[in-house]
Amino acid sequence: MEYVVETHNLTKAFGSFIAVDKLNIRIKRGEIYGFLGPNGAGKSTTIRMLCGILEPTSGYGTVLGYDLVKDTEKIKSKIGYMSQKFSLYDDLTVLENLQFYAGIYNVPLGERKTRIAEMIEMAHLAGREKELAANLSGGWKQRLALGCAIIARPSIIFLDEPTSGVSPTSRRHFFNIIQSLAREGVTIMVTTHFMDEAERCNKIAFISAGQLMAMDTPDNLKESTIDGLLVELSVPDAMEKMSSIEQLPFVKECTIHGSLLHVLLESEGGMADLQNFTGVEPKPIKPSLEDVFLALAKRQRAGEKNA
């Protein structure tokens, strides 16, 4: 089976509101598949359909070869799922939480001790087995939650904003674990709004207003989406100057990044013209995934306006 997740025009509507609109994705075994988009874009709704929790309104899909509508219980028994609200039991210790979830996921009794030891090692929780979950920091809780979610050795893991609310250091540790699991052949679909995490995914899908805007590797997205020369501009009152810069005939796009502007020029020849207009020397830069996402979102808004 080349693809462990496939969807065809997968759609979910809540009344007149379309949360996911004709979504077509395919995920290969062992891939880390990043699912990016703003709040309300449809990421969590998609994950819940793929986990067999929500039934699609129309379209269809498969996970590990099982139909999303007909085989929901089979899907649930084969996957791992973790969200930022994953339920650890604060009044249980690290060890007791792992024992509890081993029981929930029907890990064979003869294998539980070994599996629990594997999860403690994976999460770097050795020495903390008797500590109450309530006393763990956000990063430790996150890793314990992952251990609880994958103790049954699922073939595919769905992670819905798993790193929200923890430190950058904890996020890096968490993604190191994710990459290690992928190298062992586990497939991971992760929703995130952190671009540094997205850079570490094999494939990225950008979703907005329930629609897939683009899907490819991080490098290919940067090359295919950003057509022109991207420069960085440090000007005072950057926000106020955006619209006038965007009106220039040699400027394709202008976005704000903190106190700086990123300006997409038609060609290298526009650098001198931009400097003459602003009085500031533009600095050529490599596009980031944030540049890609902002460009895609702007094009989508332009398309809606034209429609």
Side-chain angles (χ1 to χ4, degrees), residues 5-305:
V5 174
E6 290 189 80
T7 71
H8 180 73
N9 289 341
L10 193 66
T11 300
K12 182 63 182 178
F14 298 96
S16 60
F17 174 68
I18 300 175
V20 177
D21 189 8
K22 297 184 178 69
L23 185 69
N24 296 291
I25 60 173
R26 295 195 297 183
I27 305 175
K28 290 183 177 179
R29 185 177 302 279
E31 273 189 334
I32 304 176
Y33 191 94
F35 209 41
L36 276 73
N39 289 336
K43 303 187 302 294
S44 294
T45 301
T46 300
I47 291 268
R48 288 172 188 148
M49 283 192 283
L50 295 177
C51 289
I53 299 168
L54 280 177
E55 185 172 331
T57 304
S58 62
Y60 61 88
T62 59
V63 172
L64 300 169
Y66 296 115
D67 185 274
L68 292 184
V69 175
K70 299 174 185 173
D71 303 317
T72 54
E73 292 309 312
K74 289 177 183 175
I75 289 172
K76 288 175 188 174
S77 70
K78 299 286 185 182
I79 65 172
Y81 171 74
M82 175 188 163
S83 73
Q84 67 184 101
K85 297 190 176 84
F86 188 93
S87 296
L88 289 174
Y89 290 87
D90 283 347
D91 54 347
L92 296 182
T93 65
V94 167
L95 181 60
E96 287 166 343
N97 267 286
L98 288 166
Q99 289 170 333
F100 175 77
Y101 278 98
I104 289 288
Y105 288 121
N106 296 314
V107 175
L109 282 170
E111 297 178 25
R112 288 187 190 181
K113 190 173 180 180
T114 301
R115 298 275 185 94
I116 288 169
E118 288 173 355
M119 295 304 102
I120 287 171
E121 181 183 359
M122 176 214 69
H124 306 293
L125 285 163
R128 296 176 179 263
E129 292 90 341
K130 294 182 180 179
E131 195 166 336
L132 288 176
N135 297 336
L136 297 174
S137 69
W140 294 112
K141 280 185 178 178
Q142 170 202 60
R143 281 179 257 173
L144 174 58
L146 178 63
C148 291
I150 67 171
I151 198 164
R153 291 182 183 159
S155 302
I156 182 167
I157 310 166
F158 294 96
L159 304 173
D160 193 6
E161 298 281 3
T163 57
S164 293
V166 299
S167 71
T169 302
S170 292
R171 290 198 289 108
R172 282 194 297 273
H173 283 316
F174 187 87
F175 244 76
N176 288 343
I177 293 170
I178 293 304
Q179 288 179 306
S180 176
L181 290 168
R183 284 192 292 270
E184 294 169 10
V186 178
T187 307
I188 294 129
M189 184 176 188
V190 55
T191 69
T192 181
H193 55 268
F194 295 113
M195 296 300 161
D196 59 325
E197 292 183 350
E199 290 277 6
R200 299 174 71 176
C201 296
N202 304 115
K203 291 273 182 68
I204 301 170
F206 280 101
I207 184 173
S208 181
Q211 295 181 335
L212 186 66
M213 295 192 292
M215 192 281 294
D216 213 324
T217 66
D219 288 342
N220 286 349
L221 281 168
K222 292 173 199 173
E223 289 177 15
S224 63
T225 308
I226 308 298
D227 181 21
L229 177 68
L230 189 68
V231 298
E232 188 175 80
L233 205 59
S234 178
V235 292
D237 304 317
M239 183 72 82
E240 287 75 17
K241 292 178 180 169
M242 274 181 64
S243 58
S244 60
I245 291 172
E246 271 191 313
Q247 301 304 315
L248 297 171
F250 50 86
V251 171
K252 298 178 79 170
E253 290 172 1
C254 181
T255 54
I256 191 154
H257 295 250
S259 61
L260 300 170
L261 292 178
H262 285 194
V263 184
L264 183 61
L265 302 172
E266 291 277 1
S267 66
E268 195 172 337
M271 285 185 64
D273 294 326
L274 183 61
Q275 183 169 349
N276 289 336
F277 182 79
T278 61
V280 176
E281 184 179 358
K283 175 187 169 188
I285 56 171
K286 289 185 177 180
S288 68
L289 283 177
E290 189 173 0
D291 292 310
V292 170
F293 181 69
L294 290 171
L296 289 169
K298 185 174 181 180
R299 287 171 207 174
Q300 185 190 47
R301 288 194 299 272
E304 288 171 353
K305 192 180 291 185

